[in-house]
Amino acid sequence: MKTALITGITGQDGAYLAKLLLGKGYKVYGLSSRRVNQSYANLDWLNVRGVEFINADMTDQCSIQNVIKKTLPDELYNLAAMSFVGSSWDTPVYTSNVNAMGVLYVLEAVKNFSPHTKIYQASTSEMYGNCGGSEPKDEDTNFVPRSPYGVAKTFAHNMMVNYRESYGMFTSNGILFNHESPVRGIEFVTRKITDAVAKISLGIQDKVSLGNLDSKRDWGFSGDYVEAMWMMLQHNEPDDFVIATGSTYTIKDFLDLAFMEIGIEDWSNYVYQDPAFVRPAELDVLLGNPAKAKRVLGWEPKTPIGGLVAMMVEADIERNK
């Protein structure tokens, strides 16, 4: 039986990944932070059972070392992060401690106590910033991050590469573009939209306040993307891969699809643009080129944008009923 340790297991990707690995017969350990009111709602929603939870904190090097020494995992999936880009300007130090230094603590612990462990790091399209404009980003595109979140993730990504090249460790980065699901955090724009659309359809909300409606994003389904994470650690060599759909849609496009699910074609009276939700440094377009993942891993997305939005709206209607 293979063993896997998932940090950030209570998040969107952590829940889908735990379900995937348990289905493949893994023994799954989940790092649970030391917060008093830790939420397991995402795992419950997906009916994930069988995870063994271990308390630790990504900002505490000693606790990370203890977890590695206790579990000695075959595979480690580092999904833990302060993951909301907008909040990273308000908490830049905390964001850096978790997203950057936390990864370094993991690398040092594995190097010193469990060198056989294969590590997956959740990198992000936010590392690219506006580099290259609307051109698709691949593994060779320069990183020019435009948020504290992106800067911290770039540090972590480069550390993974450095430890791979310096110590021969199996460290792979997944540069994931935007991916969503019914258990996406409510603070993210996609889930904010589908939750609002559900409430509007049920007559319990009138409008939704959003920022820039012209931003273009490459949106996929989290359930598809965690399969790519697993495939990276089954590959015979560690490497870095862009995981994306290769198509972009605006926030307006997402609104079109979401409101059509409840029979509304003109949503203009239900949406308010609030300057408070505009980033200090906006990213206009994020578009990925997943050709390498398809060629090397045999991975490609399965869920189209329309199916993703329908899935999310339906789930939020059921929740809000």
Side-chain angles (χ1 to χ4, degrees), residues 63-74:
S63 71
I64 296 299
Q65 289 177 347
N66 290 337
V67 167
I68 298 300
K69 286 190 285 186
K70 179 178 181 179
T71 60
L72 300 174
D74 296 303

Side-chain angles (χ1 to χ4, degrees), residues 108-130:
E108 276 292 297
V110 168
K111 176 172 70 74
N112 293 328
F113 303 110
S114 187
H116 76 284
T117 299
K118 297 180 178 181
I119 308 175
Y120 167 85
Q121 164 62 14
S123 288
T124 169
S125 57
E126 291 282 337
M127 300 186 304
Y128 292 119
N130 283 324

Side-chain angles (χ1 to χ4, degrees), residues 9-10 51 64 67 82 116 126 209 227-228 230 247-248 253 290:
I9 195 168
T10 58
V51 174
I64 296 299
V67 167
M82 198 304 288
H116 76 284
E126 291 282 337
S209 297
E227 291 184 3
W230 176 77
S247 300
T248 58
D253 294 329

Side-chain angles (χ1 to χ4, degrees), residues 40-109:
Y40 300 94
N42 290 344
L43 295 163
D44 291 339
W45 179 267
L46 295 177
N47 195 30
V48 175
R49 299 289 183 271
V51 174
E52 182 175 332
F53 293 98
I54 302 176
N55 288 330
D57 192 304
M58 292 298 292
T59 64
D60 181 350
Q61 185 175 13
C62 289
S63 71
I64 296 299
Q65 289 177 347
N66 290 337
V67 167
I68 298 300
K69 286 190 285 186
K70 179 178 181 179
T71 60
L72 300 174
D74 296 303
E75 299 170 9
L76 190 158
Y77 296 86
N78 185 47
L79 312 182
M82 198 304 288
S83 58
F84 188 48
V85 179
S87 294
S88 70
W89 276 279
D90 299 322
T91 59
V93 174
Y94 174 73
T95 299
S96 299
N97 285 337
V98 175
N99 296 9
M101 292 305 300
V103 177
L104 184 55
Y105 297 155
V106 167
L107 286 165
E108 276 292 297

Side-chain angles (χ1 to χ4, degrees), residues 34-313:
R34 292 183 240 195
R35 285 174 288 180
V36 175
N37 297 316
Q38 177 72 60
S39 173
Y40 300 94
N42 290 344
L43 295 163
D44 291 339
W45 179 267
L46 295 177
N47 195 30
V48 175
R49 299 289 183 271
V51 174
E52 182 175 332
F53 293 98
I54 302 176
N55 288 330
D57 192 304
M58 292 298 292
T59 64
D60 181 350
Q61 185 175 13
C62 289
S63 71
I64 296 299
Q65 289 177 347
N66 290 337
V67 167
I68 298 300
K69 286 190 285 186
K70 179 178 181 179
T71 60
L72 300 174
D74 296 303
E75 299 170 9
L76 190 158
Y77 296 86
N78 185 47
L79 312 182
M82 198 304 288
S83 58
F84 188 48
V85 179
S87 294
S88 70
W89 276 279
D90 299 322
T91 59
V93 174
Y94 174 73
T95 299
S96 299
N97 285 337
V98 175
N99 296 9
M101 292 305 300
V103 177
L104 184 55
Y105 297 155
V106 167
L107 286 165
E108 276 292 297
V110 168
K111 176 172 70 74
N112 293 328
F113 303 110
S114 187
H116 76 284
T117 299
K118 297 180 178 181
I119 308 175
Y120 167 85
Q121 164 62 14
S123 288
T124 169
S125 57
E126 291 282 337
M127 300 186 304
Y128 292 119
N130 283 324
C131 181
S134 60
E135 292 300 311
K137 311 299 187 293
D138 62 22
E139 294 79 7
D140 297 320
T141 304
N142 290 332
F143 297 141
V144 190
R146 288 174 61 82
S147 66
Y149 171 85
V151 170
K153 281 286 192 175
T154 302
F155 173 95
H157 180 99
N158 288 333
M159 276 295 179
M160 288 281 288
V161 174
N162 188 271
Y163 273 62
R164 180 168 72 215
E165 295 176 349
S166 300
Y167 302 112
M169 294 170 62
F170 197 110
T171 59
S172 292
N173 289 301
I175 309 173
L176 273 59
F177 280 67
N178 296 67
H179 49 291
E180 320 299 319
S181 77
V183 298
R184 185 59 145 158
I186 197 71
E187 70 272 20
F188 292 89
V189 65
T190 51
R191 180 74 195 292
K192 184 177 181 180
I193 290 170
T194 60
D195 180 66
V197 166
K199 289 175 177 174
I200 289 168
S201 74
L202 297 171
I204 54 178
Q205 184 169 322
D206 297 323
K207 292 187 177 184
V208 57
S209 297
L210 302 171
N212 182 5
L213 302 185
D214 295 312
S215 295
K216 292 183 178 180
R217 295 293 183 267
D218 185 332
W219 279 303
F221 172 47
S222 175
D224 295 341
Y225 285 31
V226 298
E227 291 184 3
M229 300 176 189
W230 176 77
M231 293 170 79
M232 287 180 212
L233 296 196
Q234 312 318 304
H235 190 50
N236 55 3
E237 294 180 357
D239 206 345
D240 305 325
F241 296 91
V242 166
I243 304 300
T245 70
S247 300
T248 58
Y249 298 87
T250 64
I251 304 294
K252 290 178 181 177
D253 294 329
F254 200 98
L255 285 163
D256 286 340
L257 292 167
F259 275 98
M260 283 297 293
E261 288 297 313
I262 61 170
I264 295 176
E265 294 187 15
D266 181 6
W267 43 260
S268 58
N269 292 328
Y270 300 97
V271 176
Y272 168 67
Q273 283 191 267
D274 188 342
F277 294 115
V278 177
R279 295 182 183 184
E282 187 60 73
L283 294 186
D284 302 318
V285 183
L286 283 176
L287 171 62
N289 177 4
K292 180 180 176 181
K294 182 177 181 179
R295 182 182 71 254
V296 177
L297 301 176
W299 178 88
E300 54 187 328
K302 303 171 184 175
T303 309
I305 183 72
L308 171 62
V309 175
M311 183 196 313
M312 294 175 68
V313 171

